[in-house]
Amino acid sequence: MEKFNYYVPTKIIFGKDTEFWTGTELRKSGAKKVLIVYGGKSAQESGLLDRIKKSLEEEKILYAEWGGVKPNPRLSHAEAGTELAIRENVDFVLAVGGGSVIDTAKAISHGAANAGTKLWDIWTGKARLEKSLPVGAVLTIAAAGSETSDSAVLTNTEIGKKAGLSTSFNRPVFAIMNPELTYTLPKYQIACGIADIMMHTLERYFIPDQKNQMTDEIAEGLLRTVIANGRTAVKNPRDYDAMSEIMWCGSLSHNDLTGLGRKKDFSVHKLGHALGARFDCAHGASLAAVWGAWAEYVYQNDIDRFYHYGEKVWGLCTEDKEQTARQAIRHTVDYFREIGMPTNLTELGIGVQEDAVLKELAMDATKEDTVALSFIRKLKAEDVYQIFKTANK
């Protein structure tokens, strides 16, 4: 097995009614005044926000509120939240929502702890991040895994760029995870989460020269679990057991456990980010829309890996490795379609794009052709353009 460092400090509080423990966990973390960050009306109309505020009041913890987070979280909204956090002199940021809300909370925590430094400079590495406020999360969407990850993304709408930041400061102190809080989600959003969870695992899985058997077993078991329970959840979003499995898989898929001892690829994410920044499409959907085209483009450079994936995850077994590899790709694409996810750009809802747009997307994904994506096969801007071209139907 290859060497690795593994540190995940986030405390998990999992199960029914766990949101009532929010105040207790904040008190244990030393919080005196909290900025509650959330999205739209659902947190309010469901009564979740009131339950959380009551739990804070019971612990005599002060709070301010910052709502309005949108999917593909905006830099401008995080900047405004940062100004509020500084003005209110908060010492803790609490996210109530899914990945976009949690990522926004992470951004606000960095900005508030580094007053006077531009948040985008922190995000793009121009300013060194050496301190941040602590963050906690009450999860309402099983998808991004941001509740336990060291990652976060922001979209700079002024320049049309979506970028990620990985740092240990992004690790939440605690994550409260009640699967019942997902019951009101539309089926499309549940499916987007399933695709995102699978992709977080697959992006760590398709790396050449694998020597980490236990890591593979964890990743393959997680994928099988998500696939099986995903079918149940999109039919019955109130199936507690199915949603429990998916929610826990979401956390495990992006806390580095499924990639120990190997590099991270995330080339498909770069394609998805380019689509998300330009068309403001759902993140999980953008990944599903291009994964098949990416896989078809690179699989011949590591047929053994795709064969292993087909055998272990999809139960395929033939003597023809290439045939099995191609079947594994087809099974994955068919599964995305089965749960209501797009498998090309038209199904994503953006229609067939002009050639010039595809080339711009490829340049965006590769940072103007300065970064080669993927480890199985190095992908320059021309390669990424060809992948987008395959998905452009």
Side-chain angles (χ1 to χ4, degrees), residues 11-19 21 25 139 142 147 175-180 182 240-252:
K11 179 179 180 181
I12 305 296
I13 304 99
F14 192 101
K16 296 180 180 181
D17 298 328
T18 47
E19 67 270 21
W21 301 357
E25 291 304 318
L139 187 65
E147 66 276 3
I176 290 174
M177 300 166 61
N178 176 2
E180 290 184 323
T182 69
Y240 182 83
D241 291 334
M243 292 308 303
S244 295
E245 298 291 347
I246 293 170
M247 180 173 271
W248 185 225
C249 284
S251 292
L252 297 182

Side-chain angles (χ1 to χ4, degrees), residues 57 76 115 127-128 159 163 242 245 269 303 312 326 354 358:
E57 292 163 0
S76 58
R128 187 172 180 179
I159 61 175
E245 298 291 347
H269 268 71
I303 289 176
K312 295 292 186 177
R326 291 183 65 84
E354 295 181 358
L358 302 181

Side-chain angles (χ1 to χ4, degrees), residues 38-154:
Y38 60 96
K41 297 179 180 179
S42 60
Q44 296 172 309
E45 293 177 350
S46 67
L48 174 60
L49 209 56
D50 287 338
R51 296 197 298 275
I52 289 172
K53 288 190 285 188
K54 182 179 179 181
S55 75
L56 269 64
E57 292 163 0
E58 289 173 349
E59 297 293 341
K60 296 180 171 53
I61 296 172
L62 302 175
Y63 58 85
E65 301 177 44
W66 184 239
V69 176
K70 299 181 182 298
N72 294 309
R74 274 58 164 177
L75 169 68
S76 58
H77 190 264
E79 288 174 329
T82 296
E83 293 175 2
L84 175 62
I86 294 171
R87 189 164 62 248
E88 292 288 340
N89 195 29
V90 304
D91 57 12
F92 201 104
V93 183
L94 177 69
V96 181
S100 295
V101 172
I102 300 171
D103 286 1
T104 299
K106 291 177 179 181
I108 291 171
S109 72
H110 304 334
N114 296 275
T117 302
K118 292 183 178 180
L119 187 53
W120 194 244
D121 285 346
I122 293 174
W123 220 255
T124 56
K126 292 181 180 179
R128 187 172 180 179
L129 182 63
E130 297 181 322
K131 59 182 178 178
S132 186
L133 297 183
V135 172
V138 179
L139 187 65
T140 62
I141 303 172
S146 189
E147 66 276 3
T148 57
S149 82
D150 68 351
S151 302
V153 296
L154 281 180

Side-chain angles (χ1 to χ4, degrees), residues 317-375:
C317 187
T318 70
E319 294 183 359
D320 188 329
K321 286 191 173 182
E322 181 167 1
Q323 179 184 352
T324 301
R326 291 183 65 84
Q327 286 179 348
I329 295 170
R330 188 163 59 250
H331 272 63
T332 307
V333 173
D334 287 346
Y335 178 76
F336 287 148
R337 189 176 291 114
E338 177 188 343
I339 63 172
M341 281 289 93
T343 61
N344 56 54
L345 300 191
T346 295
E347 291 176 4
L348 183 60
I350 63 175
V352 175
Q353 296 297 310
E354 295 181 358
D355 209 54
V357 174
L358 302 181
K359 290 180 178 179
E360 289 172 5
L361 290 168
M363 292 296 282
D364 187 16
T366 58
K367 295 185 176 180
E368 306 303 315
D369 207 18
T370 62
V371 177
L373 309 181
S374 185
F375 292 108

Side-chain angles (χ1 to χ4, degrees), residues 45-309:
E45 293 177 350
S46 67
L48 174 60
L49 209 56
D50 287 338
R51 296 197 298 275
I52 289 172
K53 288 190 285 188
K54 182 179 179 181
S55 75
L56 269 64
E57 292 163 0
E58 289 173 349
E59 297 293 341
K60 296 180 171 53
I61 296 172
L62 302 175
Y63 58 85
E65 301 177 44
W66 184 239
V69 176
K70 299 181 182 298
N72 294 309
R74 274 58 164 177
L75 169 68
S76 58
H77 190 264
E79 288 174 329
T82 296
E83 293 175 2
L84 175 62
I86 294 171
R87 189 164 62 248
E88 292 288 340
N89 195 29
V90 304
D91 57 12
F92 201 104
V93 183
L94 177 69
V96 181
S100 295
V101 172
I102 300 171
D103 286 1
T104 299
K106 291 177 179 181
I108 291 171
S109 72
H110 304 334
N114 296 275
T117 302
K118 292 183 178 180
L119 187 53
W120 194 244
D121 285 346
I122 293 174
W123 220 255
T124 56
K126 292 181 180 179
R128 187 172 180 179
L129 182 63
E130 297 181 322
K131 59 182 178 178
S132 186
L133 297 183
V135 172
V138 179
L139 187 65
T140 62
I141 303 172
S146 189
E147 66 276 3
T148 57
S149 82
D150 68 351
S151 302
V153 296
L154 281 180
T155 300
N156 187 333
T157 55
E158 289 187 2
I159 61 175
K161 301 291 183 183
K162 185 174 182 179
L165 172 68
S166 293
T167 169
S168 60
F169 290 110
N170 274 337
R171 301 278 191 190
V173 176
F174 63 81
I176 290 174
M177 300 166 61
N178 176 2
E180 290 184 323
L181 299 180
T182 69
Y183 283 180
T184 59
L185 292 174
K187 291 183 179 181
Y188 184 80
Q189 199 165 4
I190 293 172
C192 284
I194 293 165
D196 199 10
I197 293 167
M198 290 179 65
M199 211 63 63
H200 283 153
T201 307
L202 294 173
E203 297 271 48
R204 293 173 167 91
Y205 187 83
F206 285 108
I207 306 294
D209 302 321
Q210 294 298 325
K211 298 177 181 178
N212 301 299
Q213 181 181 347
M214 190 66 243
T215 298
D216 267 4
E217 293 287 346
I218 293 170
E220 290 154 5
L222 189 149
L223 287 165
R224 292 193 301 269
T225 301
V226 170
I227 290 166
N229 286 281
R231 287 190 171 109
T232 301
V234 294
K235 292 177 181 176
N236 179 13
R238 290 179 173 269
D239 188 304
Y240 182 83
D241 291 334
M243 292 308 303
S244 295
E245 298 291 347
I246 293 170
M247 180 173 271
W248 185 225
C249 284
S251 292
L252 297 182
S253 71
H254 205 30
N255 71 0
D256 292 332
L257 184 64
T258 59
L260 292 181
R262 64 176 61 142
K263 298 176 181 178
K264 293 181 183 179
D265 189 328
F266 279 69
S267 55
V268 179
H269 268 71
K270 297 298 190 298
L271 277 65
H273 285 171
L275 289 168
R278 189 179 187 103
F279 298 104
D280 198 25
C281 46
H283 177 59
S286 72
L287 302 178
V290 296
W291 186 86
W294 169 86
E296 288 287 350
Y297 196 81
V298 305
Y299 85 93
Q300 288 184 326
N301 290 77
D302 199 346
I303 289 176
D304 284 346
R305 190 61 177 160
F306 279 86
Y307 170 81
H308 187 79
Y309 167 66

